[in-house]
Amino acid sequence: MSGENNLSVLLHHACPEHHPGKYVFSTLDSPSAELRELSVMTMHEEEGVTLILPQQIADQYEIGYEYVASWITLKIHSALAAVGLTAAFSRALAERGISCNVVAGYYHDHIFVAVGDAETAMKTLSSLG
């Protein structure tokens, strides 16, 4: 199933969804299989493995973090080769002073914003279409 490439369609049908809870970015040299399973996303980097975890899991396992985020998913199935979607929503958020950390999955784009910015980010993303 191919994703959408047309930027106008992507923006009009982005349908941002705010996941409940708080999420944190942590890094470990060699996280356990259990922690990998509990993470919502992982990224292998030269310096270590980045885990995006629910804050309560990081606290439970006493894993350090610096940034507490809200997680927003754009529900449209965007093509990995689509041009301009990330630029459009990151520019709109930046204009409102909101930083965003973006992870692209096969089907959707996932945006992490500071917890205090979630409501404004949702309004901003909803207005792009």
Side-chain angles (χ1 to χ4, degrees):
M1 179 175 178
S2 297
E4 180 61 55
N5 277 302
N6 183 294
L7 182 58
S8 295
V9 172
L10 287 166
L11 294 174
H12 186 71
H13 297 286
C15 297
E17 176 185 352
H18 182 213
H19 297 267
K22 297 177 182 177
Y23 299 86
V24 300
F25 288 67
S26 297
T27 185
L28 297 171
D29 289 332
S30 184
S32 67
E34 182 178 12
L35 278 174
R36 289 175 188 263
E37 184 68 28
L38 293 170
S39 68
V40 296
M41 296 180 199
T42 61
M43 175 60 70
H44 296 263
E45 299 180 284
E46 187 177 310
E47 298 85 357
V49 179
T50 297
L51 302 173
I52 303 175
L53 294 162
Q55 183 181 24
Q56 67 215 26
I57 298 296
D59 290 343
Q60 177 185 340
Y61 284 82
E62 299 180 343
I63 298 170
Y65 53 85
E66 298 174 11
Y67 180 75
V68 181
S70 288
W71 174 16
I72 300 170
T73 298
L74 301 183
K75 295 303 289 182
I76 188 158
H77 178 186
S78 57
L80 290 168
V83 175
L85 178 60
T86 304
F89 68 70
S90 64
R91 181 175 34 255
L93 293 171
E95 287 171 356
R96 284 154 186 84
I98 299 173
S99 76
C100 63
N101 295 280
V102 182
V103 180
Y106 184 85
Y107 293 101
H108 307 288
D109 290 285
H110 305 273
I111 306 163
F112 293 85
V113 300
V115 168
D117 292 330
E119 185 177 332
T120 303
M122 282 295 293
K123 289 178 185 174
T124 301
L125 295 169
S126 295
S127 72
L128 290 177

